[in-house]
Amino acid sequence: MISKFRQQKKLTVFALWFVIAAFIGTIFFAWGIGDQIAQSNFAIKVNETVITDADYSQKLDATRENFRSLFGAQADELTKDNILEKTVVNELIAQALLIEEAKRLNIPVSDAEVQMAIQNMQSFQTDGQFNIEQYTEILARNRMTPAVFEQKVKDDITSQKMTEVIKGSVAVTPKEIENEYKYRSSTAVINFIAFNADSYLTNVTDDAVLKKYYDEHKEEYRVPEKANFIALVFDPSVVQNMDIPVSDKEVDDYFQRNKATLTQPESVKASHILFRVEDWTNKADVDAKQKLAADVLAQIKAGADFAEMAKKYSADSSGQQGGDLGYFSKGQMVPEFETEAFRLKNGEVSNIVKTDFGFHIIKTIDHKIEASPSKEQAKAQIIDLIKKEKGQAAFKSFVFDKYKEIVSESNITAYNKKNGGKLPVAKLEGVTETGEGSPLAGKPDLAKRIMAMTKTEISQILDFDDKKVIFEMTDKFPSYIPKYEQIKNRVAMEYNAEQSVKAAEKAALEAAKSKTIEEASAKAGKSFTTTKAFNRNEPIEGLGMNNDLMDAVFASKPGSFLAKPYTVGANVYLVQVVSIAPPAAPVSATLKEQISTSLLSVKQDEAVNDYIAALKKKAKIEVNPALQQFYVK
């Protein structure tokens, strides 16, 4: 089971950010559904627990805003494929199940714990102290009573306690650490022969053959359901020119609450020259790289220009900029590199520094000490930040108010008809679930969401890059399969391409009957390539990264050909395993601790997920059809 979760670990860690980001964020204003009717509808029912549309919308919007504050411009790229919606839906279900289970097991949460949690929230503090007036004012502004908010906090604490109970039942054994080290650090070398499918291209034009292929693959030629939309686009620039006042008290409150984030940490500006080591088990290569590093260092100490030497010798992309890494603070570089960079004086060059990447020569250019600006020094920055926050809130209110007006008239078309077409709209025609061929190209999640609508229906307020959009479906066209005569040329091209791959695979299998790679190469009339040693976490030179191929390679005996050819696009590869080598050295104490920590986290996540999955099987869960696509059973 650990191997299953090893592959999912990055996603698990990633998802935890949403839980962290959403905890405080749920106090903020929920918008996007808005009206009282929508708030009374249910989003999810878990046994006797009802999660309303407002609960879902509130947590989704808060999670999105907090995630953007954490990851900035990367947020949209990191949250593709409806990951926010899926995470929120399944987190709400999981939380409801965990709360019910905690109650069944009599896991208590005291009023004192709830009170302490609330008092520690920076949003409710002034000068580092809890401010009851600020607390009630913020809740009132966000249309929430203290009782409702305190229950939400209690629910969060309850689910967290239940999670910790589950995690506390897990441990990592020495054998698991040893097996994981072998799994990560074993290396392989392979031979491969590439069979290009284009070399085996056929040109079948027989209608009988092609028609048969068409009949067997009809669904692949299906033209998807399409729809036309009008879209009302809201650009944040509508509030950019607003005169947004900021009082001295607001500046003071912000400064007191955010002193830590305004502090600039100690940092250094450094350059380096990297002599990369790909395989630490290759002693000859390691020695050669270390000797080269020593030679270059000697030249620098003799007066050679560091930047020019970096351009000539560095294996890092920074070499083209003379090795310049810019400024970085502690925790951004590997420990060995960081320690030396911060130790050196300005202009000083290090001796050779060894890291997992290879050998480095480091030159520290400048130091910046930790700086905590005074309120006056930070005032201009704080005013800009407050204006930005207020501008974002004003933009949301503007869009939300307009949305309510449109909803009151049924849709955008009806609103414009009544109001003389005041709202300019964009037309989107031929939209499919993938969004291809329309302005939604590259945004399949958004396209799929609006394609679930019906004619004349309007969407909620949706994100489109940095804008907000309301869609109205104006027409919908059913899916269909074109007749053979209409796509005969396409059928012929795809049939012949498929046959060429099969022919290449057949040739590879025939060559695999050979006893040696040399014999297989001669039989196929093609040369073979021998790779460098690689582990499971590295791409195979010339073949790329593929988990199935890795599993097949490391499960095979040296000297054997893989049971089936490995196909990528128009290339088919015959692969022979040359060697499988265990780790060259025993696991170090440091790495053992890292593996133990990593495995414990994986096993804890596995335990929590399995526990929730077991609760789900016994639970009665009903998800609103509008959210069904986001629910992972």
Side-chain angles (χ1 to χ4, degrees):
M1 285 198 289
I2 289 175
S3 62
K4 173 181 71 176
F5 273 85
R6 181 187 292 111
Q7 296 175 10
Q8 298 177 6
K9 178 60 181 169
K10 288 184 180 178
L11 290 177
T12 304
V13 172
F14 183 61
L16 289 177
W17 279 104
F18 293 97
V19 181
I20 296 166
F23 180 74
I24 287 296
T26 52
I27 70 169
F28 298 119
F29 186 91
W31 67 287
I33 297 180
D35 59 22
Q36 292 181 351
I37 294 175
Q39 291 185 26
S40 66
N41 291 336
F42 84 95
I44 308 162
K45 293 179 182 176
V46 181
N47 295 324
E48 301 303 316
T49 302
V50 177
I51 300 166
T52 67
D53 275 338
D55 292 331
Y56 167 75
S57 181
Q58 192 174 46
K59 186 156 188 171
L60 176 63
D61 196 51
T63 303
R64 180 179 288 111
E65 291 302 315
N66 280 275
F67 198 75
R68 283 176 175 166
S69 72
L70 285 168
F71 294 100
Q74 292 181 299
D76 290 338
E77 179 64 24
L78 293 172
T79 56
K80 294 190 301 186
D81 303 323
N82 289 328
I83 193 168
L84 280 175
E85 290 83 354
K86 291 174 183 175
T87 301
V88 169
V89 166
N90 290 284
E91 174 62 25
L92 286 169
I93 291 172
Q95 185 184 50
L97 290 169
L98 289 172
I99 290 170
E100 286 188 358
E101 185 69 357
K103 290 176 180 177
R104 186 184 72 81
L105 297 175
N106 294 318
I107 296 175
V109 174
S110 67
D111 290 343
E113 288 177 284
V114 175
Q115 182 180 358
M116 182 65 70
I118 293 172
Q119 289 180 351
N120 286 333
M121 294 178 185
Q122 285 189 351
S123 299
F124 306 135
Q125 292 180 354
T126 302
D127 298 333
Q129 299 295 318
F130 178 71
N131 186 320
I132 185 65
E133 290 80 11
Q134 188 169 314
Y135 172 62
T136 55
E137 179 187 341
I138 290 176
L139 292 187
R141 192 163 66 235
N142 291 286
R143 304 180 186 181
M144 188 178 292
T145 66
V148 169
F149 179 70
E150 286 156 19
Q151 183 59 50
K152 286 180 178 290
V153 173
K154 186 173 184 177
D155 288 344
D156 282 328
I157 296 173
T158 302
S159 63
Q160 287 172 9
K161 277 192 169 185
M162 187 65 224
T163 299
E164 291 306 313
V165 168
I166 301 168
K167 287 183 175 181
S169 66
V170 175
V172 175
T173 67
K175 187 65 176 176
E176 287 174 328
I177 295 173
E178 180 184 346
N179 290 341
E180 180 67 10
Y181 176 60
K182 288 180 180 178
Y183 180 92
R184 293 185 186 185
S185 303
S186 294
T187 58
V189 175
I190 63 171
N191 294 318
F192 69 84
I193 303 172
F195 296 77
N196 191 303
D198 289 345
S199 302
Y200 303 87
L201 196 61
T202 60
N203 187 28
V204 175
T205 58
D206 188 319
D207 268 337
V209 174
L210 297 179
K211 182 67 166 56
K212 182 174 182 293
Y213 180 82
Y214 164 82
D215 289 336
E216 292 171 349
H217 298 80
K218 272 187 176 181
E219 280 301 319
E220 296 174 22
Y221 298 107
R222 178 177 291 280
V223 175
E225 182 180 51
K226 295 183 179 181
N228 296 339
F229 296 86
I230 57 174
L232 184 57
V233 182
F234 298 90
D235 193 301
S237 62
V238 297
V239 297
Q240 282 180 354
N241 297 323
M242 289 177 54
D243 182 20
I244 301 175
V246 178
S247 68
D248 288 341
K249 184 178 185 304
E250 288 177 306
V251 172
D252 186 60
D253 288 347
Y254 189 98
F255 180 75
Q256 296 300 332
R257 291 197 309 269
N258 297 278
K259 279 183 179 179
T261 60
L262 293 169
T263 297
Q264 297 297 319
E266 179 189 5
S267 62
V268 297
K269 182 179 183 181
S271 298
H272 81 138
I273 303 171
L274 170 63
F275 304 87
R276 192 183 302 279
V277 175
E278 301 286 355
D279 180 8
W280 288 98
T281 65
N282 186 337
K283 187 175 185 302
D285 182 58
V286 172
D287 290 344
K289 294 293 174 58
Q290 190 168 15
K291 183 179 183 303
L292 178 59
D295 290 343
V296 172
L297 180 60
Q299 293 181 57
I300 292 171
K301 288 185 175 180
D305 184 75
F306 190 96
E308 291 303 316
M309 299 301 277
K311 290 177 182 178
K312 184 175 181 180
Y313 292 105
S314 184
D316 188 59
S317 58
S318 66
Q320 297 307 305
Q321 289 78 47
D324 186 9
L325 296 169
Y327 285 94
F328 54 88
S329 55
K330 290 182 178 179
Q332 292 184 272
M333 299 292 181
V334 292
E336 304 91 339
F337 189 100
E338 175 189 288
T339 299
E340 189 67 7
F342 276 85
R343 184 192 68 79
L344 295 171
K345 298 177 182 178
N346 290 355
E348 192 175 358
V349 176
S350 72
N351 289 319
I352 297 171
V353 177
K354 179 183 176 184
T355 73
D356 289 342
F357 299 100
F359 299 104
H360 307 255
I361 302 172
I362 305 168
K363 181 178 181 180
T364 294
I365 311 299
D366 187 35
H367 274 84
K368 285 185 178 180
I369 63 172
E370 181 177 302
S372 299
S374 67
K375 185 174 69 175
E376 287 306 313
Q377 290 172 324
K379 186 173 182 179
Q381 179 188 359
I382 292 172
I383 289 174
D384 287 342
L385 290 169
I386 294 174
K387 283 186 175 182
K388 183 178 178 181
E389 290 178 0
K390 285 188 171 183
Q392 290 172 342
F395 177 55
K396 287 185 176 183
S397 296
F398 171 80
V399 177
F400 181 58
D401 289 344
K402 187 58 64 179
Y403 182 71
K404 288 194 295 183
E405 291 177 20
I406 293 169
V407 169
S408 69
E409 299 298 336
S410 180
N411 57 29
I412 299 170
T413 300
Y415 180 92
N416 270 344
K417 186 175 181 180
K418 182 176 179 180
N419 293 278
K422 286 184 178 179
L423 299 178
V425 295
K427 291 185 178 181
L428 291 77
E429 297 184 344
V431 176
T432 66
E433 276 201 350
T434 63
E436 293 305 317
S438 76
L440 298 183
K443 301 180 184 296
D445 301 326
L446 182 56
K448 185 174 182 180
R449 186 165 182 176
I450 65 173
M451 283 297 293
M453 294 160 53
T454 57
K455 189 175 176 180
T456 75
E457 183 182 354
I458 64 169
S459 70
Q460 295 180 7
I461 300 169
L462 302 174
D463 289 319
F464 189 100
D465 297 328
D466 61 338
K467 301 175 178 64
K468 302 292 182 183
V469 184
I470 303 170
F471 293 93
E472 177 188 332
M473 182 180 285
T474 57
D475 218 337
K476 201 164 192 175
F477 310 97
S479 171
Y480 70 95
I481 298 173
K483 294 180 179 179
Y484 167 72
E485 290 73 19
Q486 295 174 300
I487 55 170
K488 178 180 176 180
N489 291 339
R490 177 185 166 190
V491 173
M493 181 180 69
E494 292 180 359
Y495 173 80
N496 284 295
E498 184 179 292
Q499 294 307 304
S500 69
V501 172
K502 288 182 177 179
E505 290 174 346
K506 183 177 179 181
L509 286 170
E510 185 62 31
K513 295 177 181 177
S514 306
K515 293 182 179 179
T516 66
I517 191 70
E518 291 81 6
E519 184 182 329
S521 179
K523 181 183 288 189
K526 301 176 183 294
S527 61
F528 67 89
T529 300
T530 302
T531 68
K532 297 178 181 178
F534 58 88
N535 61 40
R536 291 176 182 269
N537 299 315
E538 299 173 333
I540 302 173
E541 188 176 5
L543 287 179
M545 191 76 184
N546 181 278
N547 289 331
D548 292 338
L549 176 61
M550 286 292 186
D551 289 342
V553 167
F554 282 93
S556 299
K557 293 181 179 179
S560 63
F561 290 101
L562 296 192
K564 62 179 182 179
Y566 172 63
T567 304
V568 182
N571 279 329
V572 176
Y573 299 94
L574 173 61
V575 177
Q576 181 197 42
V577 178
V578 177
S579 63
I580 304 289
V587 59
S588 66
T590 300
L591 185 55
K592 184 181 292 186
E593 181 63 29
Q594 291 175 355
I595 291 174
S596 176
T597 300
S598 176
L599 279 183
L600 180 62
S601 177
V602 170
K603 290 185 72 176
Q604 286 176 334
D605 291 337
E606 181 181 17
V608 172
N609 285 325
D610 286 347
Y611 203 102
I612 291 171
L615 293 176
K616 276 185 178 180
K617 285 183 179 179
K618 297 184 291 184
K620 181 181 179 182
I621 299 172
E622 185 179 354
V623 179
N624 190 298
L627 303 178
Q628 191 68 48
Q629 60 179 312
F630 307 135
Y631 173 44
V632 180
K633 294 184 179 180

